[in-house]
Amino acid sequence: MQEETKDDKKLQWLKIIMLLDKYRVLVIFIVLLIVASFLSDAFFTTTNLFNIFRQVSIVAIISVGMTLVILTSGIDLSVGSVMAFAGAVAAGVITSGIPFPIAILVCILVGLIMGAFNGMIVSKGGVPAFIATLAVMVIARGMTLLYTQGNPIVISDPGFRFIGGGTVFGIPFPVILMILIFLMMYWVLKHTTFGRYIYAIGGNEEAARLAGISVDRVKIAVYALAGFFASVSALIYTSRLMSAQPNAGAGIELDAIAAVIIGGTRLSGGKGGVMGTLIGALIMGVLDNILNLMNVSPFSKDIAKGLVILFAVLVDSKLARLKK
């Protein structure tokens, strides 16, 4: 009887741990919102909330691609540099007199090609993702500086401004775009063969290969999508500033990785999803906004972000051990 009681208690604790593991990101986000409402009266105003979503949209969209890569047990350090180069090329095309819709297509094509190049190096070349994407990060940043000659490329076409600054029924267009992308990728991961392949590769790559999955093709597609989403973020960022900045996207890959980790996707791959990433990105955005409203020094923001990331990783590690 005593043995059964011990087993029952262990089972109850396991259920609690699994529940915490499933909803911890949402709980953290809700607690953060409550704390923010007490810290500043300006936080829950419509203007401020839209501002948070608008600011978060760039990192969040890049984080979608990062989620896919990490789910396959990879990493992509090049997304910030790819974003900068794609934005610079788009700006260059527009300033040369070509209509901006064509510039949008060129920008997206640049992101896809550079992302696919990452995937080729990782899958076909057998180079570890960290090293491959680190090299592409440096190459893409150098290409950006060479293309722009280290100077901003100013855009004068007023139609291009809509992507980063326009609204639809009062809602910022980048926010609508972000939501549509997350919903689309949620469906892809949950209801398509491609999505199942991504989880299978992250769970056990060799087993996935033996099961007949074309691991190399899936990886190339995943890295290409990471480049695609980097180019979409480039369009929003460049449109908002109406110029391409040589240093655009510097450090954004770290924010994207942070959003993915905080959102509950395992760095080892095979577990997680884009909706957790969205909440992770919002947590980072709300934290940043609170610090701004409280006039906290910009130098302190990185410390706060680092502590949040460390806390998320520690919680994830602790819950993983408790479930064993």
Side-chain angles (χ1 to χ4, degrees):
M1 189 72 178
Q2 190 176 0
E3 191 67 34
E4 287 182 9
T5 306
K6 286 181 179 179
D7 288 341
D8 288 342
K9 286 182 178 179
K10 189 176 180 180
L11 186 61
Q12 287 175 355
W13 274 110
L14 187 60
K15 286 180 179 178
I16 293 170
I17 290 165
M18 290 179 70
L19 198 65
L20 284 172
D21 188 36
K22 188 175 181 180
Y23 296 109
R24 73 180 185 279
V25 184
L26 187 59
V27 171
I28 291 170
F29 182 53
I30 292 170
V31 170
L32 190 60
L33 290 177
I34 294 169
V35 171
S37 67
F38 283 107
L39 292 175
S40 175
D41 294 333
F43 180 78
F44 268 118
T45 60
T46 305
T47 303
N48 186 59
L49 291 175
F50 273 150
N51 184 51
I52 292 172
F53 275 96
R54 189 184 288 109
Q55 294 292 336
V56 162
S57 63
I58 295 173
V59 173
I61 290 171
I62 281 189
S63 300
V64 174
M66 189 67 76
T67 304
L68 301 180
V69 171
I70 291 177
L71 280 173
T72 62
S73 195
I75 198 80
D76 190 349
L77 300 178
S78 70
V79 287
S81 297
V82 170
M83 170 184 159
F85 184 60
V89 170
V93 171
I94 293 171
T95 54
S96 68
I98 298 173
F100 77 83
I102 296 176
I104 291 172
L105 293 176
V106 172
C107 179
I108 289 171
L109 187 61
V110 167
L112 280 169
I113 290 171
M114 297 195 76
F117 180 65
N118 273 329
M120 290 285 288
I121 299 170
V122 172
S123 60
K124 300 294 186 182
V127 180
F130 183 89
I131 303 300
T133 58
L134 179 63
V136 174
M137 177 185 78
V138 176
I139 292 168
R141 184 63 64 182
M143 289 167 65
T144 305
L145 293 170
L146 185 64
Y147 185 81
T148 62
Q149 292 298 302
N151 299 310
I153 301 176
V154 179
I155 301 168
S156 57
D157 190 331
F160 186 67
R161 190 184 298 275
F162 177 81
I163 299 172
T167 60
V168 178
F169 300 114
I171 303 172
F173 180 70
V175 176
I176 295 172
L177 190 59
M178 175 185 73
I179 292 169
L180 289 175
I181 286 171
F182 271 92
L183 289 174
M184 178 185 70
M185 293 314 300
Y186 174 81
W187 180 81
V188 167
L189 285 174
K190 295 295 182 183
H191 302 289
T192 68
T193 303
F194 179 64
R196 289 192 290 273
Y197 285 175
I198 289 172
Y199 283 106
I201 291 169
N204 190 321
E205 185 174 322
E206 190 56 35
R209 200 183 300 275
L210 292 171
I213 296 172
S214 181
V215 173
D216 290 351
R217 286 185 182 180
V218 173
K219 281 190 173 183
I220 292 169
V222 163
Y223 281 92
L225 282 171
F228 167 78
F229 290 122
S231 66
V232 173
S233 289
L235 288 169
I236 296 172
Y237 184 82
T238 307
S239 170
R240 185 181 298 173
L241 299 178
M242 286 301 283
S243 67
Q245 301 293 325
N247 64 342
I252 200 169
E253 60 278 347
L254 300 180
D255 287 337
I257 293 169
V260 175
I261 295 170
I262 292 169
T265 297
R266 294 277 169 82
L267 275 171
S268 56
K271 183 179 179 183
V274 292
M275 287 308 172
T277 296
L278 176 59
I279 298 174
L282 288 171
I283 287 172
M284 299 291 286
V286 168
L287 182 64
D288 197 48
N289 184 256
I290 292 170
L291 295 174
N292 280 332
L293 292 174
M294 294 176 66
N295 295 317
V296 174
S297 166
F299 304 113
S300 303
K301 292 180 184 178
D302 289 337
I303 297 173
K305 286 181 181 179
L307 289 172
V308 169
I309 295 167
L310 184 61
F311 175 75
V313 173
L314 287 172
V315 169
D316 184 64
S317 177
K318 185 67 175 176
L319 286 173
R321 283 199 297 268
L322 286 171
K323 286 195 293 185
K324 288 180 180 179

